[in-house]
Amino acid sequence: MTPQLGDRLKGTVVVIGAGIAGLITAYTLLRDGFEVQVLTRDAEAGGVWSQDRIYPGLFLNNVHGEYRLSPMEMSPLVERSDVRLGGQDLNKYTTAFASTFLKGKIEYGIEVHRIRRGPAGSGWQLEVLNRSTALPETRLYDRLVLCTGGCSAGFVPESLSPSAASAAGFHRIVCHSVDFGRKRAELLASVPEIGLEPSRTIPSIVVVGGGKSAQDICTYLANERRKVTIVCPDFDAFTARPKPLPDFIRKSRLLALLSPHIHLRTGLERFLHTTRLGKKIVNSWWNRLAEDSYRAAGVPADSPLRRAVRPFWHTRVNDEGVPRSNGFHALVSAGKVEVICPARVARYGRDGISVILEDGRSLPASAVVLSTGYRSSWPTIFDEETTKDLGLDPQPVNDTTTHQWKYTTLSNAPPLHPEAKRWSSTLYHGIVPAKHIVHRDLAVNGAVLSPNFGYTTEVTAHWISSYFLGDRFLRLPATSEEALALTEREAAWLRTRYPQIPTALNNSHTSYLAFWSWPQHVDDLLEDMGLPVMRSGGNALTWPLKVVDLKEISSLKEERDKKRAGKKS
Ligand SMILES: Cc1cc2nc3c(=O)[nH]c(=O)nc-3n(C[C@H](O)[C@H](O)[C@H](O)COP(=O)(O)OP(=O)(O)OC[C@H]3O[C@@H](n4cnc5c(N)ncnc54)[C@H](O)[C@@H]3O)c2cc1C
Ligand SMILES: *[C@@H]1O[C@H](CO)[C@@H](O)[C@H](O)[C@H]1NC(C)=O
Ligand SMILES: *[C@@H]1O[C@H](CO)[C@@H](O)[C@H](O)[C@H]1NC(C)=O
Ligand SMILES: *[C@@H]1O[C@H](CO)[C@@H](O)[C@H](O)[C@H]1NC(C)=O
């Protein structure tokens, strides 16, 4: 080891969070020689998959084998290879990962309250609380990786909050979906089961929202024989098929080929996204995907379930695989979940037993579950000054810089979300605040929305490690100004590609969107490190049908080691 590298390894990296992102970040940094300490407020690893958060009927969206990390197989932990994985499976996987690779490195039950710059203006000072003793403590670390998750803090509209409920005299259970795992036993105990005939005397459990969490919770409650009503302005889109799709379609880069990226790496992508014929092919493909999915799930043409976002333009898309007979869409068709859509719940009624919709309708409720989305997990741990200082806060959109992507597939876009019009995310690649880029002591993993979360966070972990190590081969903006300009360009791209998503406002979740184009984003990171891209192989024509396998990134450490050694000699 050269002295220079030794210097870079000095001190301790604190990783906040022990979900998928925290686990792979800690693992990667440890193997690269860093001293690492992981902190989590939870009693075990897993984050959203920890025992406190999961519940029966919570299924993973992804096809088997896709959502994992390369150092550990899903089997033999989880035997079945044909079905959807559930919350319990992911819990097993993440806790096993922690006990296999990170023994003694994770402190559980530690809540981080405040993060500031260290005393001499370098390093980090953390104020933490041991949750079992409630004793506060101050800790000092040299580097910091935020893996606090995009779905770890619930967004609760003021008018629907538990305090608004008690003010209105609504004393039944009100909880956000982040607390559903903890609250579900209490909730079930408070609402009677329906008899053979759905009883008109029992009010519904009202689930607010049309996303995956809302649908999963409705499904769980209906299967527990509770009367449930979902109220939402629209639904997540979904993909479904009568039979499992072959791996060369579902686990390949085919979907990514049909989604344009900030730059088009291949001839096939340039053909599809910049020509009129290409646009026709792409459009008809996406239209068919939606239509075939409705058909596979038995959703009639006039069903409110068709009030969904357009999958091409959005990240609110779930893969249902082969629809289950006790799944959400089937339960709606069977009348076991009542749907009120389009509609919004405005507030609690003055009678203390109902909620009032925006159109004035009153809906008796035996409980209310708020599946109203998530907010950033950062405002609670950084004060305003530190947020500004580090450049974690959203920036106003800079109108003087116009970026244009003349892609045929991007015409006829839906309107820009009003908040997306005003704010840009400031995290370069969704990893480092652009303003802070030269300091090499702060990074984020898990704030890039990706449907192959294990793959993207693993490659990101290597990028972060090279960034901390000062690896010369890592392509990086030289100044914060340059990083800001590149980040504004990325933000402009996201506004063009996913106009309905206000990325900057939920920045611990959506600092960057690598949704349909997650493989291209991963290739950008690999290219930054000077490593081979498009790792699933194939030639100029066959690459889109090659199955993506985590094995293809399992030796990134060795590849980076070799590059580092090569550069020195
Ligand atoms: C119900 C649900 C279903 C989902 N289903 C899917 C799916 O099917 N497919 C998919 O790809 N994604 C799904 N997701 C998205 C999911 O968030 C990501 O896939 C992934 O699990 C996030 O991992 P993470 O490590 O970034 O964050 P998390 O798993 O949220 O972990 C955050 C970690 O940070 C810690 N933490 C946060 N704040 C603090 C603090 N102040 N002090 C101390 N510790 C702190 C937490 O304790 C936790 O350990 C789902 C999310 C939810 C909520
Ligand atoms: C929190 O306090 C309890 C009780 O003193 C102790 O057993 C535990 O180890 C502490 N947790 C951490 C992570 O320091
Ligand atoms: C992100 O923020 C916007 C605006 O505050 C909000 O409407 C939206 O629901 C949030 N998205 C998520 C995924 O929570
Ligand atoms: C907007 O972008 C231009 C061009 O990159 C730059 O010169 C200018 O300083 C930016 N304005 C603000 C307010 O950041």
Side-chain angles (χ1 to χ4, degrees):
M1 198 176 285
T2 68
Q4 201 187 357
L5 185 61
D7 281 348
R8 290 289 188 188
L9 286 168
K10 251 199 222 141
T12 303
V13 185
V14 64
V15 173
I16 304 178
I20 297 270
L23 293 175
I24 192 61
T25 304
Y27 171 88
T28 307
L29 291 171
L30 273 168
R31 284 185 80 221
D32 276 350
F34 286 100
E35 192 59 50
V36 177
Q37 181 67 65
V38 183
L39 305 179
T40 169
R41 63 179 168 217
D42 299 336
E44 61 174 8
V48 307
W49 309 111
S50 68
Q51 217 47 257
D52 256 4
R53 295 280 307 269
I54 58 175
Y55 49 89
L58 172 63
F59 282 95
L60 190 67
N61 255 322
N62 312 66
V63 279
H64 200 290
E66 193 179 63
Y67 189 96
R68 70 173 181 95
L69 301 164
S70 84
M72 196 157 133
E73 293 280 348
M74 194 60 81
S75 58
L77 224 55
V78 178
E79 296 286 354
R80 310 156 342 251
S81 64
D82 52 331
V83 292
R84 294 281 140 157
L85 298 177
Q88 205 54 258
D89 299 321
L90 265 294
N91 178 264
K92 251 197 223 167
Y93 183 78
T94 47
T95 51
F97 192 97
S99 59
T100 308
F101 300 117
L102 299 170
K103 221 176 208 127
K105 298 295 175 189
I106 308 180
E107 285 186 68
Y108 298 97
I110 296 289
E111 172 112 37
V112 177
H113 274 272
R114 184 66 66 223
I115 302 176
R116 290 200 189 91
R117 270 317 225 171
S122 72
W124 303 95
Q125 177 174 321
L126 272 58
E127 273 151 45
V128 306
L129 200 67
N130 180 328
R131 291 181 86 177
S132 61
T133 57
L135 285 177
E137 227 189 289
T138 301
R139 308 266 188 99
L140 296 175
Y141 297 100
D142 301 279
R143 291 192 174 91
L144 167 69
V145 189
L146 292 172
C147 301
T148 49
C151 306
S152 67
F155 170 75
V156 178
E158 195 43 53
S159 63
L160 299 182
S161 66
S163 54
S166 25
F170 186 91
H171 297 305
R172 295 166 176 178
I173 291 179
V174 173
C175 75
H176 189 274
S177 46
V178 293
D179 297 314
F180 186 74
R182 277 178 285 264
K183 290 269 177 120
R184 74 187 159 90
E186 194 191 334
L187 180 67
L188 289 181
S190 77
V191 179
E193 260 187 64
I194 45 180
L196 287 178
E197 295 294 309
S199 155
R200 242 178 285 133
T201 57
I202 310 172
S204 268
I205 300 171
V206 173
V207 176
V208 185
K212 180 184 188 282
S213 297
Q215 295 182 19
D216 280 348
I217 288 169
C218 285
T219 305
Y220 171 76
L221 292 171
N223 287 325
E224 291 290 327
R225 307 177 51 77
R226 297 309 193 280
K227 201 164 146 185
V228 52
T229 301
I230 185 167
V231 184
C232 57
D234 58 12
F235 285 97
D236 281 13
F238 66 96
T239 59
R241 277 295 176 285
K243 277 195 286 189
L245 283 172
D247 282 357
F248 68 85
I249 294 182
R250 185 54 192 86
K251 280 160 79 174
S252 67
R253 288 172 166 247
L254 183 64
L255 285 170
L257 167 66
L258 295 156
S259 169
H261 187 52
I262 187 164
H263 53 89
L264 304 172
R265 225 176 233 107
T266 63
L268 221 46
E269 284 164 284
R270 284 190 290 276
F271 162 68
L272 286 173
H273 299 293
T274 63
T275 67
R276 282 167 62 191
L277 177 59
K279 176 189 169 66
K280 264 198 183 142
I281 295 169
V282 171
N283 276 358
S284 77
W285 198 90
W286 286 96
N287 290 337
R288 240 195 85 183
L289 179 79
E291 190 49 45
D292 287 358
S293 300
Y294 287 130
R295 199 165 319 141
V299 177
D302 59 351
S303 168
L305 294 178
R306 293 203 182 212
R307 279 195 77 89
V309 300
R310 289 157 68 191
F312 174 83
W313 294 105
H314 226 286
T315 62
R316 282 176 54 195
V317 187
N318 308 313
D319 185 354
E320 290 287 317
V322 178
R324 291 177 287 271
S325 60
N326 62 354
F328 179 72
H329 301 94
L331 290 167
V332 170
S333 298
K336 290 183 178 158
V337 173
E338 193 196 349
V339 173
I340 304 183
C341 171
R344 284 173 196 274
V345 178
R347 57 187 174 85
Y348 296 93
R350 289 207 189 82
D351 57 6
I353 54 165
S354 52
V355 294
I356 310 294
L357 308 190
E358 269 179 3
D359 61 15
R361 269 182 287 175
S362 166
L363 189 63
S366 56
V368 174
V369 181
L370 302 167
S371 297
T372 38
Y374 303 90
R375 60 188 163 77
S376 175
S377 47
W378 300 336
T380 53
I381 46 178
F382 293 98
D383 56 40
E384 231 168 278
E385 194 190 332
T386 310
T387 302
K388 277 225 163 69
D389 196 32
L390 300 177
L392 276 171
D393 51 336
Q395 288 294 310
V397 168
N398 184 346
D399 273 331
T400 60
T401 51
T402 50
H403 302 279
Q404 284 201 338
W405 287 268
K406 298 210 165 64
Y407 298 169
T408 49
T409 46
L410 290 176
S411 54
N412 309 323
L416 198 56
H417 189 288
E419 300 291 356
K421 207 178 272 179
R422 298 177 51 208
W423 302 104
S424 290
S425 160
T426 47
L427 266 66
Y428 177 69
H429 286 353
I431 307 174
V432 182
K435 189 178 169 190
H436 200 79
I437 197 123
V438 296
H439 298 287
R440 295 186 191 259
D441 64 357
L442 167 66
V444 175
N445 200 355
V448 173
L449 192 67
S450 158
N452 198 333
F453 198 74
Y455 198 123
T456 43
T457 50
E458 185 163 340
V459 175
T460 303
H462 286 277
W463 193 101
I464 290 172
S465 192
S466 272
Y467 171 63
F468 283 176
L469 283 169
D471 281 338
R472 295 257 183 79
F473 56 77
L474 182 71
R475 176 178 68 188
L476 207 65
T479 62
S480 56
E481 289 73 28
E482 193 190 330
L484 275 166
L486 289 169
T487 306
E488 177 59 41
R489 181 169 186 271
E490 287 178 347
W493 163 248
L494 294 181
R495 282 193 285 280
T496 309
R497 179 65 190 87
Y498 298 106
Q500 292 167 294
I501 301 173
T503 54
L505 295 187
N506 309 301
N507 51 7
S508 83
H509 186 39
T510 54
S511 277
Y512 188 85
L513 307 173
F515 199 68
W516 297 112
S517 311
W518 72 266
Q520 291 97 319
H521 171 70
V522 156
D523 282 346
D524 292 346
L525 302 184
L526 290 168
E527 216 169 68
D528 279 353
M529 294 183 270
L531 300 175
V533 300
M534 301 188 70
R535 291 178 168 239
S536 350
N539 61 32
L541 285 175
T542 61
W543 66 262
L545 299 178
K546 292 289 173 188
V547 174
V548 174
D549 190 315
L550 268 285
K551 277 201 193 86
E552 66 199 43
I553 54 163
S554 61
S555 57
L556 289 183
K557 173 188 164 43
E558 291 74 13
E559 293 177 46
R560 289 167 46 241
D561 284 350
K562 214 186 249 171
K563 272 199 104 70
R564 199 174 300 122
K567 275 269 151 73
K568 296 265 156 56
S569 59

